[in-house]
Amino acid sequence: MNFDDTPQEAEFRAIARAWIGANAPKQYEEDLRKSSLGRTVLKNANILEVAKAWQKKKADAGWACLHWPKEYGGRGSSPIERVIWSQEEGPFGQLSRMFIIGHGMCGPTMMAFAREEHKRTYLPPLASGEKVWCQLFSEPAGGSDVAGLRTRAEKDGDDWVINGQKIWTSGAHYSDYGILLTRTDPTVPKHKGLTMFFLDMKSPGVEVRPIKQASGASDFNEVYFTNVRIPDHQRLGEVGDGWNVSLTTLMNERSAIGAAVSTGFHELFEYCSSLMLDDGPAIEDRAVRSKLANWAVKASGLKYTSMRAISALSKGERPGPENSIGKLVAGSMIQDVATYALDLQGASGVVSGEDAELAGRFQAMLLRAPGTRVEGGTDEIMRNIIAERVLGLPGDIRVDKDVPFNKIPTKGR
Amino acid sequence: MNFDFSDDQKQLRDQARKFLAEKCSPKAVRVVLDGKAPYDKDLWKGLAEMGFLGVAIPEEFGGAGAGHLELCVIAEEMGRANAPVPFSSTVYLAAEALLIAGSEAQKKKWLPAIASGEAIGTLALFEGKGNPAPKNVKLTAANGVLNGIKKPVADGAIADFAVVAARNGSSGRDSDISLFLVDLKAGGVEIKSLTNLDPTRGQAEITFKDAKAEPLGAAGEGWSILTQVLDRAAVLCAFEQVGGSDRALEMGRDYALDRIAFGRQIGSFQAIKHMLADMYVSATLARSNSYYGAWALSTNAAELPEAAAAARISATQAFQHCAKNNIQVHGGMGFTWEFDCHMYYRRANAMALGLGSLSYWEDQLIDRMRKKNAA
């Protein structure tokens, strides 16, 4: 049992570290380091522009999308090298968040299902951050139940005509392309009538409306499609096989191993070390210590769970469903941590803005945290995944499984 | 990075699991639970023959000299099997105290006897209520004899010798405390068995009246040695707790698959699935924290004190959580004497107290994290 790199890993780490040391946009390091869930603020800079510039620089030197094949703009690295890179990239890795959907989900789906000429055309600029992609799956009628979606695609000559609405689409407002899951046959059971495409987000008939979130920020959008035309050669997979295609996308979502999971603990520990309560420093209060200790072991438990996963990767094993626990644990923890940090301030915890530097940080966390527990699968879906795929318990009963889609009830009452 | 046990260590785990499945069935555990024997002597002998008692004891003292990672592997299996033997008191506490502070002669006398199963040892620290703290040690040492009362002492009624924490000064500093070795079969020692939460591992009250004692380690260093012993035991106990958590989770899962209610396997209800998923989560976090503790223990890293406290807290919480919810999944059946659920529930809650309570370790963890941050 050790934390040492193999000689090859050590060599790779040294090269990566040297390149990052020489090239990273260090002027933003402090801001990125201080960012926490719900708040990444670059002083006097547009984060999208900074992110694009860093991504392009990485791509030109062969450090973009490490695990992708070289011909599509990647480096052909092993999964463990990707983890080492993300450890070395540290706070600068925050900038890649702008591309996480494109790199983590759209790219792999394109690689698995697009025509060769499309892969060569579209993937390199996606890898280099010049073009941003989004993923158009969720709908008002289909969040966790993705296969319940209603956006229609109807064949018209060599094109498909799209009508409908998507929601919760991260980054759609600055995306150039998207992958889109549609219903092409409503007369068969829901999983069987779906088809996947990719499209230009600037196509006529695409309208993006940002959603103002509970936090006040707008990271997600509603996307409306009115008679949008997509040529058939932009179809991904067979007609009616969209569910299988989307599973490839969703499986790739579970890949963020190695990047430190944000739990809020580090921020809380720092805060309690400096905060004075009526009876003295917060960290000397027995009740505070007990709370901190409970969160400390969750944070370290996640950290070492991730180290175990990295060890498995290092031996060439594939990440499994057990890695679902990171988001499940961190999501509610960060919410509790933020609540507690504000509680320690008493009534003044309610004040935000520049007069309340510390509270402001935890307020941003508090208001963003509910989203973490929902996006990419709710806590409940994560628990189902663990129960079914790790523990082998029976799947949920799905009464609509064999019913033609257009016969499924649409209202509860 | 290889943050995992080696293939050889995993083989040892399989070997231990197979051995315990055969020699330590729930039926065998019940013989001790029902008070028909103070511990499972045949199992103890078998563990000695397998080399498990001396796995981390150097070869020169009659052990296998394999190391602490191997001991962690065995500990996990002992926890899974809920083994009714004085393993933690003898191997984690007494043997570790000897390894850390024993003289050559003391090691030669006791370690081979532990490895061969001839001697049972324990640590006599507590004196009634209260957590580990120098001020809570009232038993006195003077002129080579001890006077005072220790309770509870784990496995005290079956132990051959004890490492005893005693006071030989009144400066109010940690250096008032020294450790002593006492042969419990010699004079000046009265032992009374105490009924306790987990009858599969006994507790005793030991009264020392001018009991002859020899120093273990230098005078005045008792508290520092004791802290190291408790940290090591915390990691090893964490593995027992991880083993127990996993077993309780498995029992719950298996029952949820077998039992039909409302025409369905109860494991198909989300309320049950999610309870089991949460048990998996806490067991996994505990396992990962314990691995870190194992790494720190086996490399004698500076991180050991912090890692030990984290492993202790995480594994204590996980075992209590899994044992409690295993009963809940079983419903009424889980609450009966006949089902095995309560054995793990008892063990989980007894183990949560054995090295000092959760609040003590929480306090330790935060102190240690602060020290590291200040450094």
Side-chain angles (χ1 to χ4, degrees), chain B residues 7 24 27 33 55 84 95 117-118 123 134 153 204-205 215 219 246 252 255 264 273 305 334 355-357 373 375:
Chain B
D7 289 344
C24 184
K27 205 173 147 197
L33 178 73
V55 74
E118 286 155 49
L123 173 73
V153 179
E205 176 183 297
D246 267 11
Y255 188 77
R264 292 157 63 177
K273 284 162 79 168
L355 301 177
S357 69
N373 272 28

Side-chain angles (χ1 to χ4, degrees), chain A residues 119-278:
Chain A
K119 291 189 213 177
R120 288 180 187 271
T121 308
Y122 292 100
L123 289 173
L126 166 55
S128 66
E130 287 158 87
K131 298 293 180 191
V132 180
W133 285 57
C134 62
Q135 172 219 308
L136 301 142
F137 281 16
S138 293
E139 294 189 11
S144 293
D145 179 13
V146 175
L149 61 87
R150 302 183 170 275
T151 293
R152 300 187 312 280
E154 285 152 327
K155 194 80 191 290
D156 181 25
D158 284 342
D159 288 347
W160 291 82
V161 178
I162 316 294
N163 280 286
Q165 183 205 344
K166 296 288 173 180
I167 194 167
W168 318 128
T169 314
S170 302
H173 50 309
Y174 53 80
S175 285
D176 302 286
Y177 297 96
I179 58 172
L180 173 69
L181 191 58
T182 64
R183 183 161 308 281
T184 40
D185 186 354
T187 67
V188 294
K190 63 179 184 179
H191 290 95
K192 297 191 171 134
L194 303 175
T195 304
M196 182 87 91
F197 301 93
F198 73 91
L199 86 161
D200 187 336
M201 289 294 285
K202 308 289 182 301
S203 306
V206 178
E207 186 198 345
V208 178
R209 292 186 200 161
I211 298 171
K212 188 169 180 181
Q213 296 149 214
S215 61
S218 297
D219 302 325
F220 320 119
N221 304 271
E222 293 179 295
V223 182
Y224 291 85
F225 296 90
T226 312
N227 296 323
V228 175
R229 300 189 80 86
I230 301 180
D232 186 60
H233 59 77
Q234 291 183 197
R235 175 161 47 79
L236 297 170
E238 299 303 315
V239 175
D241 199 35
W243 182 248
N244 283 327
V245 178
S246 74
L247 285 182
T248 302
T249 315
L250 295 170
M251 298 243 264
N252 276 292
E253 200 170 1
R254 191 201 313 128
S255 62
I257 296 173
V261 189
S262 186
T263 60
F265 179 74
H266 174 71
E267 288 89 341
L268 184 71
F269 190 82
E270 216 174 54
Y271 170 67
C272 289
S273 300
S274 60
L275 180 72
M276 290 298 286
L277 299 179
D278 296 347

Side-chain angles (χ1 to χ4, degrees), chain A residues 1-2 4 269 289-290 294 297 300 304-305 308 311 315 322 380 383-384 388 391 394 396-397, chain B residues 1-4 253 264-265 270 273-274 278 280 287-289 292 295 317 362-363 367 373:
Chain A
M1 190 178 276
N2 64 63
D4 307 334
F269 190 82
R289 290 162 82 88
S290 175
N294 278 289
V297 303
S300 63
Y304 296 113
T305 298
R308 289 171 55 208
S311 295
K315 285 183 225 162
E322 64 276 7
E380 290 67 32
R383 288 192 172 93
N384 270 5
E388 292 170 20
L391 300 178
D396 279 7
I397 290 175
Chain B
M1 184 185 304
N2 183 21
F3 188 48
D4 194 4
R253 192 266 318 266
R264 292 157 63 177
Q265 289 165 294
Q270 273 198 355
K273 284 162 79 168
H274 289 188
D278 284 341
Y280 173 81
R287 176 177 292 279
S288 301
N289 278 313
Y292 185 54
W295 168 81
Q317 290 175 337
E362 287 170 355
D363 224 32
D367 269 343
N373 272 28

Side-chain angles (χ1 to χ4, degrees), chain B residues 237-322:
Chain B
C237 281
F239 275 89
E240 279 205 12
Q241 291 167 310
V242 164
S245 307
D246 267 11
R247 183 64 197 122
L249 168 61
E250 261 173 35
M251 288 164 73
R253 192 266 318 266
D254 291 350
Y255 188 77
L257 288 170
D258 279 345
R259 165 86 173 147
I260 305 278
F262 303 101
R264 292 157 63 177
Q265 289 165 294
I266 61 167
S268 69
F269 292 107
Q270 273 198 355
I272 305 283
K273 284 162 79 168
H274 289 188
M275 189 153 58
L276 288 162
D278 284 341
M279 289 158 72
Y280 173 81
V281 168
S282 57
T284 300
L285 296 179
R287 176 177 292 279
S288 301
N289 278 313
S290 299
Y291 277 29
Y292 185 54
W295 168 81
L297 174 63
S298 67
T299 56
N300 210 10
E303 289 87 343
L304 177 60
E306 187 186 332
R312 169 77 187 163
I313 295 166
S314 189
T316 297
Q317 290 175 337
F319 195 11
Q320 286 182 315
H321 175 220
C322 291

Side-chain angles (χ1 to χ4, degrees), chain B residues 255 266 272 325-336 341:
Chain B
Y255 188 77
I266 61 167
I272 305 283
N325 281 350
N326 177 37
I327 296 181
Q328 186 68 14
V329 170
H330 277 75
M333 298 313 292
F335 186 60
T336 62
C341 306

